[in-house]
Amino acid sequence: MRRYSRFFSCGLIILAMVLMWLSAHDLYVSRINQQQQNRVQSLKAGHHHLSWALKSQRDLVSGFGSGWRIKPQGLEIKTQKAEISLAFENSFIVPENYPRLNFEWAEHVSENPNTRLQLEFSQVDSGVYYYSPTIELSPGHNSINLAELVWTARQGDKNKPANWQDLPLLNTLVWRFSQAQNGENTGLLKAIKLPQTTALNSVNQTVPLAALLNNTLRQSWHSQRLSQGLVLDTPPVLQPYWQMSPWILFGLSGLLLIPAVIFNQPLPHNSKQTTVQAQGGLALVVLVCVLAFLMQTVFMWEVFEHWPWLVMMIFITPVLILFKRWIRPQHGALPVWLLTIITALVLVYIGENNWGFASDLPLYLFWALAQQVILGPWVSDYLHQKAGLPKITVVLLCGVLFAMLHTPNQMLMLATFIGGVLWSYAWLRYHNIYANTVSHALLALLFYQTMPEHVLGTARVGLGF
C-alpha cells in the first residue's frame, strides 16, 4: 500500500509542476494585457502622465551616469558635470502628446549659477538619438516646451535637424548637466513630469502575439512594441494558453502538493514531536506556495525595494544557523564533480569557447551557497529526516518548490526544476555542500550565457520578469 501511495504522490507532484508551468505563461500574459488595458484607457482619457519624484533608486537606470546622489528631498547633482537616465519601465512617450517637460531645480551656488542642461531622447536599441540644444536652468519651477526646441537626430556620425512632433515613440531620457565656467555648485533636481496634454485619438487592433514559451513572447513584445507601435494596440496584445484565470491553475498546482505530502507521511505514533515534525513538512510546502504567490504582487516587490537588507537576511540566516551541518562534507561527491565539469565543458563548447562568465563566478558562488544551504541542509533534510518523506518524494518536491520560486519565467522554471531535483538528490546522497555550490554557480552562469536570447531572455522572476 505504501508503494502505491508513493507512486501516486510522485504523480501528483509532477502534475503540479506541469500545471504550475502552464499557469506561468498566462500569469505573464494576463499581467501585460492588463497593463496594456490600463495604458490605453489612460491615453484615451489624456491622463497618462509620466513622473519621477527622484527620491528612490527605482526612478533611475541603475549603473548609468555619474555626479549624482539620492537625497530625501530629491536628486543632488554636481553641476560641473553629471548625467542621469530616467527609468521608464514599460512606459513610453508619444511626442505629439507630450510637448512639455516640467521639473523643480534648486542650486546651491559657491559662484555664479550657470548650470546648463542637454536632453537626449531615444528609443531603446534603435541606434538613433535625439539631442536638444543647451538649456539654461533657472531656480524654482522649470517648464520646457519641447515642441519649440530644434532637435538634432544623430545616427552614427550623421546629424540632421528634427522636429519634436516628428519623432518616433520614445522610452529613454538622459539628462546631461554642465557649467559654462568652472565652479563647485551643486543642485537639487526633483518632481520631473511629462504631462500628457492631448488625448490619444487612434488605437490599433492587431492579432495578439503568441508563443509556446513566455520567454519568447516577452522578447517579441519588447522588440516589437515600440518599433511596430504595439504599445498603442487595444488588448489583448498577447495570446494566453487558456481563456481562464491563470490563478486557477496556479492554485490547483499548489493544492496538489498537499495530498502528495500527506500520503507519504509516516504512520502516526504516540510521540507528539513526531506528529509536529510531520505536519511541519506540510507547513513548509504551504509557506513556499504563499511566497511564490507574493512574488507576483506589487506588495512583495515594494517590501524588497524599501528593505533590501531583508532579502540578505533571508538567505544569510540559514547559512549561519546550519553552519555545523554543512561545513564538513561527508563524502567527496565525485559523480557530482564529474557531471558538473562535463556539462560545463559542453556548454562552453556550445557557447563557442566564451569564458565571459568567469568574472561573475566568485560573487555568484556566495549566492549559490545560500540557495544550496536552504535547498539541502534545511528543506531536503527536514522533509526526509523530520517529516519522514521518502527520498524520491523529497527530491521531486524540492524541484517543484525551487521552480515555483522562479515563476513566471518558464525556461528558468524548467532549469530550476531539473537542478532542484539533482541537487536535492546529491545532498541526500553525499552531503557535500561545496560540490552542489560549485555545480550551481558554474552551470547557472553558463546556462545564462549559452541560452539564446529568444529562449531565455532574462533570469528575472516575479514581477521583474
Side-chain angles (χ1 to χ4, degrees), residues 303-338:
V303 168
F304 287 161
E305 179 187 2
H306 291 93
W307 295 288
W309 56 267
L310 183 60
V311 182
M312 296 179 60
M313 292 302 299
I314 290 175
F315 286 95
I316 292 176
T317 301
V319 174
L320 299 177
I321 293 177
L322 303 173
F323 179 78
K324 292 183 179 180
R325 292 172 56 183
W326 62 262
I327 190 62
R328 287 187 177 184
Q330 295 183 11
H331 300 278
L334 181 60
V336 178
W337 291 108
L338 289 177

Side-chain angles (χ1 to χ4, degrees), residues 208-222:
L209 299 173
L212 175 64
L213 282 175
N214 62 10
N215 303 75
T216 305
L217 203 55
R218 181 179 182 273
Q219 289 302 111
S220 299
W221 169 244
H222 280 275

Side-chain angles (χ1 to χ4, degrees), residues 127-198:
V128 184
Y129 303 90
Y130 304 95
Y131 294 91
S132 73
T134 301
I135 302 168
E136 297 282 350
L137 296 184
S138 304
H141 180 73
N142 286 255
S143 183
I144 301 173
N145 190 333
L146 303 174
E148 293 180 351
L149 301 178
V150 178
W151 294 83
T152 300
R154 181 177 301 167
Q155 185 173 18
D157 57 355
K158 297 180 180 179
N159 296 332
K160 64 177 182 180
N163 295 320
W164 176 254
Q165 293 86 347
D166 298 329
L167 301 189
L169 294 172
L170 305 167
N171 66 340
T172 302
L173 173 53
V174 174
W175 298 51
R176 291 189 171 88
F177 298 85
S178 61
Q179 287 183 316
Q181 303 173 2
N182 292 332
E184 299 296 331
N185 299 349
T186 60
L188 189 70
L189 178 66
K190 60 181 180 179
I192 297 175
K193 186 173 183 178
L194 278 162
Q196 183 184 359
T197 57
T198 56

Side-chain angles (χ1 to χ4, degrees), residues 87-107:
F88 272 68
E89 298 298 337
N90 291 317
S91 300
F92 61 92
I93 300 170
V94 183
E96 61 181 330
N97 300 116
Y98 294 86
R100 190 166 291 278
L101 173 64
N102 302 325
F103 59 92
E104 299 293 329
W105 174 256
E107 192 160 353

